[in-house]
Amino acid sequence: MAASLDDDLELDNQDYYSLLNVRKEATQDELKASYRRLCMLYHPDKHRDPELKQQAEQLFNQVHQAYEVLSDPQSRAIYDIFGKKGLEVEGWEVVERKRTPAEIREEYERLQRDRDERRLQQRTNPKGTISVGVDATDLFDRYDEDFEEMPGGGLPHVEINKMHISQSIEAPLTNKDTAVLSGSLSTHNGTGGGNINVVVRRVTSAKGWGEVRSHASAWKHARTVEYILKGCFLTAQCGVQFSPRGMRPSCSLMTARHLDHNTMGYLQWRWGPNSAMTTSLVRDTKTTHCTLALQLGVLNSYLMMSYQYKFQDEDQTKVKGSLKTGWFGTVVEYGAERKISRHSVLSATVSMGIPQGVTLKIRLSRASQTYLFPIHLTDQLLPSAVFYATVGPLLLYVAVHRLIVIPYTRAQKREDLELQRISSATDIAKKKQEAESAVSMRLYNPHHRVFLLPGLIILNAWYGKFVTDTSQKQERAQVIDVTVPLQCMVKDSKLCLTEASKVGLPGFYDPCVGEEKSLKLLYQFRGVLHQVLSADCEALRIPKQSHRIDAES
């Protein structure tokens, strides 16, 4: 219902609609009727006891605040879209009233942009990549007939032969200008190098941007992107390399167009040391991702096809395969990718080809950091290397997931839940006190002892976590008695609870934070017992014939 103003979510247990026990689509007459009824119950002047009078005043103020917001069309529209936080944004007092929800959303986005500009200088976007290359060819090549064993041991020799580290940060200069500072270090078989890059990017319009790039290895680039038509854009880039051998210019041009809702077509031309022309088709749907690319160049020409299937599961599992053939040979790759935590994605890919051999590539992406581990198994196309590269990571993942990840996730979830309970202990105690106060005032007020009248009678009512599965007997049920608060809501032998969390109702509080809760009722209607179990955010209307308890049972 409400969008948070900050990236982090804030817990807010108080819902104005639940507090008044009305539907989100409630009319002004329904709001007014519920408000008057609650005001009669919680009015401080009806209580002589000082403690009850103070508690009634707090509940009366909460009900009044809820009605004050929901009875005003503009405040209600803001609350429906952005919640209580939307009402706290500075600037609403100067906004013209009687606006539509679309106009209110547009105005809110403008106010949020103004706030974002004030925080512009405090933001960076760090990104990093670490790649560690492992040479494990001794594991399989030692069994080849032409392999000459090196003196000094019988164990296979595995070593790290290359490494690459890169890092970049973004620093907004103005609302349109951004500076990017990046650097990288690389080493391979004892030799290495590095560079530092500085990029200044400027947004020229809603359809284009440009950037200037320079780095310590004497490159200078200028790049612009411009949207030509709807669904079509053009990217142009030029650069100059200064070296002891002289000046070497280069440029590239790429255009792309939407062929349909899910398909993009690309055409790229590069001129310089690696001149080539590339055309590709990319189709991306909810369940598949396909790519077809053809490159014709002086040094490198190839044809590449790839296919990826996306499973619609919670872990966002993907399986992929590709075929690439050209002047360098033929390479076949297949692999899988899976989300292992909220911010981490793990993937493994087997690459085999001629003359490259067999390589296992493991990739871990966590937030904006990427870790790559290419493991070169053999220079030849050996079936044993392909088998172990496929089965080994799969068995290792299953073992680690079952023995480490699942137990750790469960323990972390229990720990987070316990921390949430501890951190919200004060709020829970306050809610409990308000609920007990509401119950006390209803018992004290003789006008609401309707449970003595015939018709619908709430005999017992419990709210909280119910343990019904016999396999979970070790878990303890956490419920509270809400018989009196519900009985006081009975009107004309009917009880209606809207589709909202029951925690917001007067007389209720959350006995088990972060867990699924239900409302269990045992009631009597016209002398017949009825029983129902309702989910927390499920609408409830009684009496119903389906809730009737048969005389035989």
Side-chain angles (χ1 to χ4, degrees), residues 67-112:
Y67 178 74
E68 191 177 33
V69 172
L70 298 182
S71 60
D72 181 67
Q74 184 185 18
S75 299
R76 183 176 181 179
I78 297 171
Y79 177 78
D80 288 344
I81 300 174
F82 307 108
K84 294 174 61 177
K85 285 294 182 181
L87 299 170
E88 299 173 3
V89 176
E90 298 178 358
W92 286 121
E93 60 276 3
V94 298
V95 177
E96 181 184 357
R97 302 180 66 85
K98 297 182 180 180
R99 289 196 171 192
T100 63
E103 292 173 335
I104 291 176
R105 180 179 292 275
E106 182 180 352
E107 186 65 24
Y108 167 80
E109 292 175 351
R110 185 190 67 79
L111 295 175
Q112 190 177 24

Side-chain angles (χ1 to χ4, degrees), residues 39-48 53 444-445 447-448:
C39 284
M40 291 177 61
L41 180 63
Y42 298 129
H43 201 285
D45 294 342
K46 290 192 174 185
H47 303 277
R48 298 181 179 180
K53 190 179 184 70
Y444 177 80
N445 194 326
H447 298 288
H448 292 273

Side-chain angles (χ1 to χ4, degrees), residues 228-234 254-260 262-267 280-282:
I228 305 174
L229 298 171
K230 184 178 181 180
C232 180
F233 65 87
L234 176 70
M254 185 188 73
T255 180
R257 181 177 180 83
H258 278 284
L259 303 180
D260 59 35
N262 298 312
T263 307
M264 285 286 295
Y266 297 89
L267 182 62
S280 59
L281 292 174
V282 179

Side-chain angles (χ1 to χ4, degrees), residues 21 37 78 81 124 131 135-137 195 395 406 416 479 505:
N21 190 29
R37 187 183 181 192
I78 297 171
I81 300 174
T124 60
S131 178
D135 184 3
T137 55
N195 59 55
L395 295 178
I406 293 180
D416 293 343
V479 298
L505 294 172

Side-chain angles (χ1 to χ4, degrees), residues 136-385:
T137 55
D138 199 28
L139 292 173
F140 297 95
D141 290 345
R142 65 187 294 112
Y143 298 103
D144 189 75
E145 296 180 356
D146 299 331
F147 179 77
E148 296 182 2
E149 186 174 355
M150 297 295 294
L155 295 177
H157 184 63
V158 179
E159 64 177 2
I160 297 176
N161 61 351
K162 57 182 177 180
M163 182 177 293
H164 175 79
I165 301 175
S166 64
Q167 186 74 27
S168 67
I169 58 172
E170 293 184 4
L173 303 178
T174 64
N175 197 30
K176 294 185 178 181
D177 299 328
T178 304
V180 181
L181 177 64
S182 61
S184 64
L185 293 173
S186 301
T187 177
H188 181 63
N189 291 331
T191 61
N195 59 55
I196 298 177
N197 304 286
V198 178
V199 179
V200 178
R201 184 182 300 117
R202 181 179 180 85
V203 178
T204 57
S205 65
K207 295 185 177 181
W209 56 271
E211 70 176 29
V212 177
R213 178 190 303 251
S214 65
H215 53 90
S217 56
W219 277 87
K220 289 188 179 180
H221 293 281
R223 180 190 298 178
T224 61
V225 175
E226 187 74 26
Y227 290 90
I228 305 174
L229 298 171
K230 184 178 181 180
C232 180
F233 65 87
L234 176 70
T235 301
Q237 177 177 314
C238 59
V240 179
Q241 180 184 18
F242 299 94
S243 65
R245 299 180 180 179
M247 183 178 63
R248 303 177 63 181
S250 65
C251 69
S252 67
L253 186 68
M254 185 188 73
T255 180
R257 181 177 180 83
H258 278 284
L259 303 180
D260 59 35
H261 183 67
N262 298 312
T263 307
M264 285 286 295
Y266 297 89
L267 182 62
Q268 183 179 16
W269 171 75
R270 294 195 307 270
W271 174 77
N274 299 317
S275 299
M277 179 172 286
T278 306
T279 180
S280 59
L281 292 174
V282 179
R283 180 170 179 81
D284 190 10
T285 64
K286 185 177 180 180
T287 57
T288 60
H289 182 89
C290 307
T291 302
L292 176 63
L294 174 64
Q295 176 174 301
L296 299 176
V298 178
L299 301 178
N300 187 12
S301 297
Y302 65 84
L303 173 66
M304 189 271 290
M305 296 177 291
S306 68
Y307 177 82
Q308 183 183 85
Y309 183 80
K310 309 171 188 177
F311 292 91
Q312 303 302 307
D313 57 354
E314 183 180 357
D315 296 325
Q316 302 178 8
T317 306
K318 302 176 184 177
V319 293
K320 52 189 175 181
S322 66
L323 171 65
K324 188 175 182 179
T325 180
W327 292 357
F328 56 85
T330 302
V331 177
V332 177
E333 291 187 351
Y334 59 90
E337 178 182 300
R338 193 170 192 179
K339 187 177 181 180
I340 58 176
S341 68
R342 183 179 179 183
H343 302 289
S344 302
V345 177
L346 179 65
S347 65
T349 305
V350 179
S351 176
M352 52 184 178
I354 300 174
Q356 289 84 0
V358 180
T359 301
L360 172 63
K361 302 175 183 178
I362 299 176
R363 178 190 180 101
L364 175 63
S365 300
R366 180 168 177 80
S368 58
Q369 303 295 317
T370 304
Y371 305 91
L372 300 173
F373 301 93
I375 305 175
H376 189 51
L377 300 178
T378 176
D379 294 327
Q380 304 179 29
L381 195 59
L382 299 179
S384 59

Side-chain angles (χ1 to χ4, degrees), residues 440-491:
S440 301
M441 283 180 283
R442 280 170 171 159
L443 288 174
Y444 177 80
N445 194 326
H447 298 288
H448 292 273
R449 296 179 63 188
V450 293
F451 54 90
L452 298 178
L453 300 178
L456 176 63
I457 303 174
I458 306 294
L459 299 177
N460 294 102
W462 302 275
Y463 175 70
K465 177 185 176 183
F466 295 88
V467 180
T468 57
D469 191 352
T470 55
S471 63
Q472 299 179 349
K473 287 185 177 180
Q474 68 277 9
E475 295 190 18
R476 182 171 57 90
Q478 300 174 356
V479 298
I480 58 173
D481 190 336
V482 292
T483 306
V484 175
L486 281 184
Q487 182 61 62
C488 290
M489 295 183 187
V490 175
K491 183 180 181 181

Side-chain angles (χ1 to χ4, degrees), residues 15-35 38 66-67 70 76 489 496-500 505-506 541:
D15 175 41
Y16 288 158
Y17 290 100
S18 297
L19 190 62
L20 297 178
N21 190 29
V22 293
R23 301 173 294 113
K24 190 176 180 181
E25 300 81 11
T27 62
Q28 290 294 329
D29 293 338
E30 292 175 340
L31 288 171
K32 186 179 296 184
S34 179
Y35 172 65
L38 292 173
Y67 178 74
L70 298 182
R76 183 176 181 179
M489 295 183 187
C496 298
L497 300 180
T498 59
E499 295 180 358
L505 294 172
R541 290 174 175 83

